[in-house]
Amino acid sequence: MTRPAKVIIDGHAAKKNLEATRLHCPQSKILAVIKADAYGHGLLRMARIFNEADAFAVASLDEAVTLREAGCRHRIVLLEGPFEFDEIAIIDRLDLDVVIHSFEQISMLEHAGATLPVWIKINTGMNRLGFDADAVAQAYQRLSSTSSSIIFMTHFANAQVRGDATVGSQLTTFDTAISGFPEEQSLANSSALLTCVNTQRHWVRPGLMLYGVSPLHGETARSLGLLPVMTLKSRLISVRDVKAGRTVGYGGSYVCPYDMKVGVVAYGYGDGYPRSANTGTPVLVNNVKTQVIGECSMDMMTVQLPDSAEAKFGDEVTLWGGELPIEEVAKASGTIPYELLCRARMRARYEEVGL
Ligand SMILES: *Cc1c(COP(=O)(O)O)cnc(C)c1O
């Protein structure tokens, strides 16, 4: 037997989120982002569930190979393009699209003599990947002989904050850089497509919202019409009474303020729970909301057991999902939902419901 942790994936919710995304941008094609094992939800599973998407985006060739080997015929975009020369022949054979963000990559394409569908990435202010605006014409010109089609793209640094001024300035930089070019455009991730209609253009690139999590600071998935797809559960493997004044766990950082019931959950940072989540992080025991106490260990964590939870050995604990928004858990543990989702796959078993 393995550990009692399980990740439950609600396929119906995921389909609804894709439909909801379409309603937000009915004119745009959807490049569904399923990198990082579909944000921890399972690459092939989510490709199947999101089969109504117009294309898929992944971050590395092995993910694209997995999709093709499983029979996926969708257009697939490598978001960071080729990492090395030898990948290009495989990319060509598997009929993949590539993001091209550097002159080194252009040289590789020229050297390989390949003609691929290319997404030219423009740096408009995030200063991570992409050609600066003044290099776009040169990149375009060189790529015109090594590409079968071209789409211009950029990425926003701070669209998750409604009304953030950098979105407008990145937009202006982009529009100036590509003015006069007839090619299709792709700008928006989840947060941009929700907050700024003018970023939607020909292709949108939603990730997080498809998994039913709010991409916007301070806004809930529910308020955006999204349904959480992942629920993470484990079980209590010990229930004990601890006297007032005694400490719980490593370092003794938590001192029981009164006589209390403490539960030990079979889930820890070795399973993907953030070690930074200590006292106060919300959890559900038998669907009653309570909190983590003390420090998270590698395979276990300790929680307060309120009388109303009537908790006993073997009872179910929800770490996020269902009635416990992952956004709350992320906030309490000083991280973002993206990171929590990606880490869930470390050791849990997966179960699928809803379809
Ligand atoms: C990951 C990624 C996305 C998706 O972002 P979300 O915030 O999850 O919607 C879109 N575009 C690019 C280039 C990405 O790397």
Side-chain angles (χ1 to χ4, degrees):
M1 283 301 279
T2 89
R3 296 172 57 68
K6 60 183 177 187
V7 171
I8 301 156
I9 301 294
D10 185 340
H12 177 72
K15 277 196 185 292
K16 287 282 170 204
N17 294 333
L18 181 59
E19 285 169 22
T21 304
R22 272 219 196 276
L23 293 178
H24 279 285
C25 45
Q27 312 295 330
S28 307
K29 286 172 277 190
I30 295 183
L31 175 59
V33 180
I34 52 173
K35 64 193 182 193
D37 205 22
Y39 292 45
H41 293 66
L43 178 69
L44 292 180
R45 173 184 304 112
M46 297 318 290
R48 169 169 48 78
I49 292 172
F50 293 143
N51 70 339
E52 304 280 309
D54 299 289
F56 293 126
V58 294
S60 65
L61 183 54
D62 54 345
E63 295 172 312
V65 169
T66 303
L67 288 169
R68 283 283 185 258
E69 281 176 354
C72 173
R73 302 312 319 153
H74 280 69
R75 198 166 174 181
I76 301 174
V77 182
L78 295 179
L79 284 175
E80 289 150 44
F83 299 118
E84 49 188 272
F85 179 77
D86 291 347
E87 292 187 338
I88 293 174
I90 306 168
I91 289 169
D92 199 11
R93 181 159 46 79
L94 296 183
D95 198 14
L96 307 175
D97 285 36
V98 283
V99 169
I100 295 294
H101 58 78
S102 70
F103 284 109
E104 290 85 347
Q105 289 177 318
I106 296 182
S107 300
M108 282 192 230
L109 288 186
E110 288 169 343
H111 187 53
T115 12
L116 304 176
V118 163
W119 300 53
I120 300 182
K121 186 150 188 177
I122 305 176
N123 172 36
T124 54
M126 183 152 181
N127 296 312
R128 194 178 58 175
L129 291 183
F131 299 99
D132 289 338
D134 59 8
V136 170
Q138 194 197 344
Y140 179 86
Q141 202 239 329
R142 275 178 68 184
L143 282 166
S144 50
S145 56
T146 54
S147 56
S148 50
S149 63
I150 287 180
I151 295 172
F152 285 111
M153 69 180 283
T154 193
H155 195 53
F156 295 106
N158 211 20
Q160 60 277 18
V161 178
R162 249 184 220 278
D164 186 85
T166 64
V167 175
S169 69
Q170 286 195 251
L171 201 51
T172 307
T173 305
F174 182 83
D175 285 337
T176 310
I178 56 134
S179 80
F181 291 106
E183 277 77 12
E184 289 189 335
Q185 303 161 18
S186 174
L187 293 82
N189 60 356
S190 303
S191 50
L193 83 85
L194 286 169
T195 56
C196 182
V197 174
N198 192 16
T199 64
Q200 294 178 352
R201 311 287 167 102
H202 304 85
W203 287 89
V204 293
R205 306 188 306 270
L208 195 66
M209 69 185 293
L210 297 177
Y211 306 98
V213 179
S214 169
L216 301 177
H217 279 190
E219 291 180 49
T220 61
R222 186 171 302 179
S223 72
L224 297 167
L226 301 170
L227 305 169
V229 175
M230 182 192 288
T231 303
L232 176 60
K233 291 189 171 177
S234 192
R235 293 188 181 278
L236 290 176
I237 56 169
S238 171
V239 171
R240 67 192 320 119
D241 295 301
V242 184
K243 293 269 179 230
R246 298 286 165 87
T247 64
V248 177
Y250 284 121
S253 67
Y254 184 79
V255 185
C256 294
Y258 38 80
D259 294 356
M260 62 194 276
K261 249 190 200 348
V262 173
V264 181
V265 184
Y267 206 79
Y269 62 79
D271 299 299
Y273 204 77
R275 211 189 78 89
S276 55
N278 39 35
T279 304
T281 305
V283 295
L284 305 181
V285 176
N286 293 334
N287 281 322
V288 175
K289 194 167 184 174
T290 177
Q291 60 164 351
V292 172
I293 56 175
E295 287 194 15
C296 177
S297 327
M298 189 180 291
D299 306 297
M300 289 174 265
M301 50 198 267
T302 38
V303 299
Q304 182 172 2
L305 296 176
D307 290 341
S308 56
E310 294 177 2
K312 56 185 187 317
F313 173 88
D315 281 359
E316 198 169 76
V317 179
T318 303
L319 299 163
W320 61 71
E323 294 303 304
L324 178 57
I326 193 171
E327 293 90 335
E328 278 182 34
V329 179
K331 187 152 188 252
S333 52
T335 183
I336 53 175
Y338 295 84
E339 188 185 11
L340 295 184
L341 291 174
C342 288
R343 293 163 57 135
R345 63 186 156 143
M346 288 173 76
R347 287 207 295 215
R349 285 170 297 135
Y350 280 71
E351 245 176 61
E352 211 177 299
V353 299
L355 287 179

